[in-house]
Amino acid sequence: MARRMSSRGTGRRDPARVPSAMLRNQILARSRLPVLVVMLAIGYGTAGYWLIQGKSLLDAFYATVLTLSTVGTGTGPAPGPGGKLFTVSLILFGVVALFTAIGVGTEVVASGELRRWLGMNQVTRSIGRLSGHYVICAYGRVGRAVAEELGRRGYTTVVIESKPELEPPLEEHGIRHISGDPADETVLSRAGIERAQGLICAVDSDAANVYITLTARALNPDLRIVARASERSSIDKLVRAGADEVVWPYGLAGRRMAVLAAQPTVLEVLDLLNLGSDIRLEEVAVRPGTHLDSLTIAEARARYAGVAILALKKPGSEVLANPGHETRLASGDLIVALGPAEILNRMAG
């Protein structure tokens, strides 16, 4: 099995790499100037009407708001020359405040920060409702292939990616993702690692994969972790860190090339099963109360004609290839079956 060895920035941070809370704080920081200018204008107008025209503080505040809103100064005796000059200065102050607010608002919208923050919040809310999903660390060549395959099989995925240049393809393909370092415990929690079914460590650094595995295992002891090893010597380290399976891509590629040279038809059949064919090779779990529960292998084969049961794994035991006809299935068993996708889906139900 694969567990033993599956060899079968610059000064300003890019917004794509900024977490939602930090992006929100940046937007709020940019909004401080227009808010401050508006508050100063209101304070200036209130103080001016109170001192120059002798209005009460409430009436002065009321007159200031009316003036800044371009409604007017309300009813009452006409102001004197000093009051008129002050009102003009207040109007000019209000125009400055208005254009300052428009400028900052336009910059926030044009930079995409507001859209990105709203998008992050929407993704965060959707991830918060997920359970039993798969978390994929890094959307490189390996991570992309994993996301495509899991998506093709109908599984829900969340990608954690730290490289801002990979955000456009993630959005283009409609893949749920968050930006950040997958080795960060906070980022893993944002991806719902505590409720996830599996984790795929596809980062191109073995040290990072080891740290991610250790962190994820501590957050979710029941998580199934599949990790990539760039070096053969890292396989044992990843297993000790808590990985259930470790894949060595170079070993897999070497075996595939050897089989292509010696037995190409075998790989043609495997590719047929994996790429677009209605015939699938699937792992089916036996759950309490389902059609498979308490059936013998012979009865299961008869009920689901056209499906070949190739292997059986009972809890705590090794995988048994070509199980005997009288072997009885029970809740918690896993069977590996080959057959039409429609029938396999009925078996799983």
Side-chain angles (χ1 to χ4, degrees), residues 7 15 68 70 125 202 208 264 295 317 319:
S7 35
L68 292 177
T70 70
R125 287 194 297 270
L295 292 182
S317 62
V319 175

Side-chain angles (χ1 to χ4, degrees), residues 134-152:
Y134 288 86
V135 177
I136 303 173
C137 297
Y139 194 64
R141 288 172 295 181
V142 174
R144 186 171 307 187
V146 172
E148 290 176 356
E149 180 63 20
L150 288 175
R152 186 177 68 84

Side-chain angles (χ1 to χ4, degrees), residues 29-235:
R30 291 191 180 190
S31 304
R32 286 174 187 166
L33 178 60
V35 170
L36 178 61
V37 172
V38 170
M39 292 180 65
L40 287 175
I42 293 175
Y44 170 73
T46 302
Y49 283 126
W50 177 50
L51 295 173
I52 296 175
Q53 294 189 235
K55 293 179 179 290
S56 66
L57 286 177
L58 180 59
D59 289 340
F61 174 76
Y62 179 66
T64 299
V65 172
L66 290 178
T67 301
L68 292 177
S69 64
T70 70
V71 173
T73 57
T75 60
K84 292 179 179 178
L85 290 175
F86 173 75
T87 299
V88 170
S89 68
L90 179 59
I91 292 174
L92 292 176
F93 201 159
V95 170
V96 171
L98 174 64
F99 279 98
T100 301
I102 291 176
V104 172
T106 302
E107 183 182 0
V108 169
V109 173
S111 67
E113 289 184 354
L114 181 61
R115 177 187 60 81
R116 187 171 290 109
W117 178 62
L118 293 174
M120 284 182 176
N121 284 343
Q122 183 177 2
V123 170
T124 300
R125 287 194 297 270
S126 67
I127 292 174
R129 295 189 293 266
L130 292 180
S131 180
H133 58 289
Y134 288 86
V135 177
I136 303 173
C137 297
Y139 194 64
R141 288 172 295 181
V142 174
R144 186 171 307 187
V146 172
E148 290 176 356
E149 180 63 20
L150 288 175
R152 186 177 68 84
R153 293 174 178 267
Y155 294 104
T156 303
T157 60
V158 175
V159 173
I160 301 176
E161 180 52 65
S162 62
K163 297 179 180 178
E165 62 269 18
L166 293 179
E167 185 174 3
L170 282 164
E171 293 180 347
E172 179 183 348
H173 297 146
I175 296 176
R176 187 182 286 103
H177 66 283
I178 59 176
S179 301
D181 182 2
D184 188 337
E185 181 176 333
T186 303
V187 175
L188 286 172
S189 294
R190 286 173 53 209
I193 199 69
E194 294 91 346
R195 305 179 306 278
Q197 179 176 344
L199 171 73
I200 292 87
C201 298
V203 181
D204 55 7
S205 166
D206 288 353
N209 284 331
V210 168
Y211 192 81
I212 293 169
T213 300
L214 284 168
T215 306
R217 180 60 70 201
L219 293 172
N220 186 348
D222 299 325
L223 189 68
R224 180 166 181 80
I225 301 177
V226 179
R228 166 192 174 182
S230 299
E231 300 293 336
R232 188 168 185 167
S233 58
S234 300
I235 294 173

Side-chain angles (χ1 to χ4, degrees), residues 57 182 250 346:
L57 286 177
Y250 298 106
R346 290 209 310 267

Side-chain angles (χ1 to χ4, degrees), residues 262-336:
Q263 298 177 326
T265 306
V266 172
L267 282 182
E268 288 183 16
V269 173
L270 292 177
D271 288 340
L272 180 67
L273 298 178
N274 290 323
L275 301 175
S277 171
D278 185 55
I279 304 297
R280 301 282 180 84
L281 183 64
E282 298 280 355
E283 177 185 282
V284 179
V286 180
R287 297 184 176 87
T290 59
H291 299 302
L292 289 173
D293 195 8
S294 301
L295 292 182
T296 64
I297 294 294
E299 291 170 341
R301 286 170 175 162
R303 172 172 292 188
Y304 299 99
V307 171
I309 298 178
L310 306 179
L312 170 67
K313 186 179 189 304
K314 288 187 171 292
S317 62
E318 295 292 329
V319 175
L320 175 63
N322 193 25
H325 295 294
E326 300 304 318
T327 304
R328 189 167 296 277
L329 299 173
S331 176
D333 290 352
L334 293 174
I335 62 175
V336 178

